[in-house]
Amino acid sequence: MPKRQNPIQKLFKRMVRNSTRKPEEFSRELQGAPQRKSRVWLKLRRNKSAVTGMIIIACFMIMILFGEQLAPHDPLETDYLNILASPSSENLLGTDYMGRDLFSRLLAGARFSLTVGLISIAIGLTVGMTLGIIAGLNKKADNIIMRFIDILMAFPGLLLSITIVATLGAGLQNVMIAIGISTVPLYARLVRGEVLKVKENDFILAARGLGATNFRLVIHHVLINISAPIIVYSTFRIASAVLAASSLSFLGLGAQPPDPEWGRLINEGRQYMLLAPWLVLAPGFFITLAILGINLFGDGLRDALDPRVGD
Amino acid sequence: MLIPVIIGVSILTFLMMHLAPGDPVAVMLPDHATGAEAELIRARLGLDEPLHIQYFTYVRNVISLDFGTSVQTGRRVGAELFARWPTTVDLTIVALSIAILFGIPLGILAALKRASFTDHFSMVFALLGFCLPNFFLALLLQLLFAMHLDWLPVYGRAGPLWTWQGFQSFILPGLSLGLSSAGVLARLTRSNMLEVLQLDYIRTARAKGIWERRIIFKHALKNALIPVTTIIGLQFGFLLGGAFITETVFALPGVGRYAVNAIFARDFPIIQGVTLMMAMVFVLCNLGVDLIYAYLDPRIRYD
């Protein structure tokens, strides 16, 4: 008796025969779950701007983690005999008005400037997403929450963060809270919209029919389906949070002396701009590069995660 | 729709002083102030009354354009605000004009010459405008055009916008504030233009043999710019919020700088006044944009 093939195997063989692609590619596709992840990764790797962004982000990650160890000098050590020195082999980017090594201060400052972005977005995301999900699922709560969001949206741009910092007082911690709160309305709106969209799907109805609780519905079905747009959006938000935090620090409302936050470095260097332009140029370049890197990565991520974006 | 938002904004700004950690009066006074002085301030600010009474007094005062007196100088905040407001508005207008004059033509050019040098250049420009912090851009412009080339004043306001010297003193602040918005507008115009150019009625117009320039400016541009007007309204608010930084860097006597100085002195009436004023203007701008939008796009009116 000839060996009988099961229909799946038959189909698979026929697909392989009729195609110019290699059999391994099919088996990878048929494996299901891991395939999506690797496809995103493959797309990201092929995307030039995403790769550039990832390299820049990786460099800054190293600075955040090991900045202080990598610094050639103590970022806080003053040397009044060597103030406003030009860039040299001893001080790669020169020294500031107290003789502190600018390069070391920049390396040490990454921790302040960049983690602020991450933490404030974490705050905004948690609160905003919770509000958005509640508003998306519950009609009564929706009205109250969205009116509140409308009020917060009436403060344009930096105004909301500045007002909150003015209320709480200057300091890096308050800046994180302020930027976090000012991103809450954006997240709440985005998540609410996505939840309303997902809610229309039949699988939600099916899950409800199977007796899924609201909590389970949110965690297993809604959250997973709205994660892609939220991840992409968060990347861009982190970039603007870094920008906003450095702006507030530049105004003197964020990091306090002697923390070498980049925005504050620019503010300090401003008075000596004509004598020692590197005091402004170097930190400004670092901030711009960090924001550029995150944005480029975000662009690539959007293209990789969103199948609707063709080109 | 509008009224609840305005009421909410006024409640939030009113609560600012009360949400601040610690006793507002203690925060405002120097450390060596006596208890009697604290009581005096408390009574003068009406802080000894119940919260809702305080709120109604606050609203009544604000409606009659009385924003209280500065804790530091004792001057009327309302008068100071109105004296400084024109500078901020001038700055915002210059920045918005720069954003529109740079952003929209660049976006159109990029869309028409897709994947060309112009396209790449304008998208890099847009990305840079987005990534350069505006305080850094402001300092770069100061360094280049004011300090090294000596073409324009470094800082200060030499006069109102319509005088030549006044106009000159607004160019650099306007550029530093407006270029990021120009980037946003360029990106948006480009993508809208590309979308519209693919639509059927453009193909019909081409088939009818209409002059290409007429198709672009009369048929495509009109539709592509409708969403751009919404963003221009939003950008106006964004630029108002950016005035804090630009005015500080360029030492312009506007409300933004007034507020930043007040924050360090914890002079709450000033901060409240500026916040309320900016939020109100922003809300009204959004209303205006909605109305213009309905006027420009008949599809919305007929819904």
Side-chain angles (χ1 to χ4, degrees):
Chain A
M1 208 168 106
K3 209 173 113 196
R4 281 191 59 179
Q5 282 181 329
N6 80 36
I8 303 256
Q9 276 177 331
K10 243 197 240 165
L11 183 73
F12 184 51
K13 282 208 172 145
R14 202 165 62 218
M15 278 163 67
V16 173
R17 222 175 15 244
N18 293 341
S19 155
T20 51
R21 287 197 282 171
K22 294 194 190 94
E24 303 93 77
E25 281 181 45
F26 279 111
S27 61
R28 205 183 301 140
E29 266 175 41
L30 287 172
Q31 270 165 9
Q35 162 241 333
R36 183 179 155 79
K37 207 193 263 170
S38 65
R39 199 189 60 206
V40 169
W41 178 240
L42 270 177
K43 271 192 170 175
L44 268 183
R45 256 189 0 199
R46 267 192 230 124
N47 188 318
K48 246 188 259 164
S49 74
V51 172
T52 322
M54 280 192 282
I55 293 172
I56 296 174
I57 292 174
C59 293
F60 282 112
M61 277 300 202
I62 294 171
M63 278 174 71
I64 292 176
L65 295 173
F66 307 110
E68 270 165 60
Q69 283 89 324
L70 288 173
H73 296 268
D74 180 353
L76 301 181
E77 189 192 66
T78 56
D79 177 3
Y80 286 101
L81 295 175
N82 191 25
I83 60 166
L84 301 178
S86 317
S88 63
S89 57
E90 177 59 22
N91 303 106
L92 276 179
L93 291 171
T95 58
D96 70 358
Y97 70 108
M98 285 165 92
R100 293 174 292 196
D101 180 48
L102 183 63
F103 185 59
S104 308
R105 283 173 74 69
L106 281 175
L107 287 180
R111 196 159 53 89
F112 299 97
S113 302
L114 301 175
T115 42
V116 171
L118 282 175
I119 296 175
S120 52
I121 291 307
I123 297 173
L125 175 67
T126 324
V127 181
M129 197 159 74
T130 317
L131 288 178
I133 289 175
I134 296 173
L137 293 178
N138 185 326
K139 275 246 168 68
K140 251 185 225 160
D142 185 27
N143 245 324
I144 302 168
I145 292 175
M146 291 328 279
R147 287 301 80 76
F148 180 63
I149 297 298
D150 281 340
I151 293 168
L152 287 186
M153 297 282 275
F155 297 91
L158 263 186
L159 182 63
L160 187 57
S161 330
I162 286 189
T163 312
I164 296 170
V165 173
T167 310
L168 298 176
L172 210 53
Q173 201 186 339
N174 292 340
V175 163
M176 290 184 220
I177 297 173
I179 297 176
I181 295 178
S182 63
T183 51
V184 164
L186 307 172
Y187 273 111
R189 283 199 158 185
L190 174 78
V191 170
R192 173 178 173 269
E194 294 292 329
V195 169
L196 288 179
K197 237 191 286 169
V198 169
K199 229 170 71 171
E200 296 302 310
N201 282 315
D202 287 341
F203 67 83
I204 296 286
L205 197 68
R208 238 186 236 289
L210 287 169
T213 57
N214 262 341
F215 181 73
R216 195 188 153 79
L217 212 61
V218 167
I219 301 291
H220 285 257
H221 299 286
V222 176
L223 268 189
I224 287 178
N225 279 294
I226 63 177
S227 61
I230 288 175
I231 291 173
V232 172
Y233 188 66
S234 298
T235 333
F236 293 116
R237 282 325 310 176
I238 289 174
S240 17
V242 170
L243 187 66
S246 63
S247 306
L248 290 174
S249 288
F250 173 76
L251 287 177
L253 299 172
Q256 298 300 313
D259 291 345
E261 201 275 342
W262 296 339
R264 225 180 64 74
L265 289 184
I266 295 183
N267 191 21
E268 276 179 2
R270 219 176 115 193
Q271 296 146 14
Y272 311 97
M273 194 161 63
L274 208 52
L275 279 171
W278 51 88
L279 288 180
V280 167
L281 297 180
F285 177 74
F286 271 53
I287 298 176
T288 312
L289 195 66
I291 295 168
L292 183 71
I294 304 172
N295 273 321
L296 285 176
F297 178 68
D299 271 338
L301 200 62
R302 182 180 53 200
D303 294 347
L305 282 175
D306 191 351
R308 280 164 301 180
V309 184
D311 61 324
Chain B
M1 200 48 236
L2 194 64
I3 310 276
V5 170
I6 290 180
I7 293 175
V9 167
S10 70
I11 293 180
L12 278 192
T13 34
F14 163 72
L15 282 179
M16 243 180 88
M17 202 197 293
H18 299 271
L19 287 174
D23 181 15
V25 174
V27 175
M28 283 176 213
L29 284 173
D31 292 333
H32 52 77
T34 61
E37 280 168 330
E39 284 312 309
L40 195 71
I41 293 275
R42 201 183 298 278
R44 203 175 76 187
L45 295 174
L47 289 172
D48 44 2
E49 292 185 61
L51 208 56
H52 63 277
I53 304 279
Q54 284 184 43
Y55 174 68
F56 287 125
T57 323
Y58 175 70
V59 168
R60 206 170 45 231
N61 288 342
V62 165
I63 288 174
S64 54
L65 297 177
D66 174 8
F67 292 92
T69 52
S70 157
V71 179
Q72 275 170 289
T73 61
R75 294 206 202 133
R76 313 290 304 164
V77 174
E80 298 263 316
L81 276 183
F82 285 110
R84 283 156 208 268
W85 187 245
T87 307
T88 303
V89 172
D90 286 351
L91 173 64
T92 314
I93 289 174
V94 174
L96 197 63
S97 318
I98 286 172
I100 294 172
L101 287 178
F102 278 85
I104 293 182
L106 264 182
I108 296 172
L109 273 179
L112 294 181
K113 307 198 166 174
R114 206 177 166 191
S116 68
F117 172 76
T118 325
D119 188 13
H120 293 305
F121 170 78
S122 60
M123 286 308 105
V124 168
F125 169 82
L127 191 65
L128 266 187
F130 202 65
C131 294
L132 269 175
N134 63 18
F135 57 93
F136 181 47
L137 182 62
L139 293 173
L140 285 181
L141 291 173
Q142 269 186 345
L143 198 60
L144 183 63
F145 291 105
M147 291 179 180
H148 282 295
L149 296 173
D150 202 16
W151 287 352
L152 296 161
V154 184
Y155 49 69
R157 173 179 181 266
L161 188 56
W162 56 85
T163 61
W164 173 237
Q165 283 186 327
F167 177 70
Q168 273 187 324
S169 60
F170 275 108
I171 294 178
L172 291 185
L175 270 177
S176 74
L177 187 56
L179 279 185
S180 65
S181 301
V184 174
L185 289 184
R187 273 190 158 192
L188 192 77
T189 311
R190 175 180 178 270
S191 65
N192 280 328
M193 200 66 186
L194 285 175
E195 208 172 284
V196 169
L197 282 174
Q198 282 180 348
L199 292 179
D200 286 342
Y201 77 89
I202 296 291
R203 203 182 333 154
T204 313
R206 287 218 173 103
K208 276 159 72 183
I210 295 175
W211 212 20
E212 184 67 22
R213 194 173 290 172
R214 199 179 152 84
I215 294 177
I216 289 160
F217 286 103
K218 185 108 197 271
H219 297 244
L221 195 59
K222 261 187 168 175
N223 274 306
L225 286 187
I226 292 175
V228 177
T229 49
T230 341
I231 298 298
I232 289 178
L234 286 177
Q235 287 298 319
F236 186 81
F238 173 79
L239 294 174
L240 269 185
F244 291 104
I245 290 163
T246 316
E247 285 174 9
T248 308
V249 176
F250 288 97
L252 292 172
V255 292
R257 183 152 161 261
Y258 187 45
V260 169
N261 291 335
I263 291 174
F264 293 117
R266 302 195 68 76
D267 198 337
F268 279 106
I270 296 179
I271 309 170
Q272 284 174 318
V274 173
T275 308
L276 196 64
M277 206 153 168
M278 283 196 174
M280 291 299 159
V281 171
F282 184 54
V283 169
L284 290 178
C285 271
N286 278 340
L287 179 72
V289 166
D290 284 347
L291 294 178
I292 293 174
Y293 198 74
Y295 172 74
L296 289 178
D297 194 344
R299 281 170 296 186
I300 293 180
R301 256 180 297 164
Y302 296 141
D303 266 350

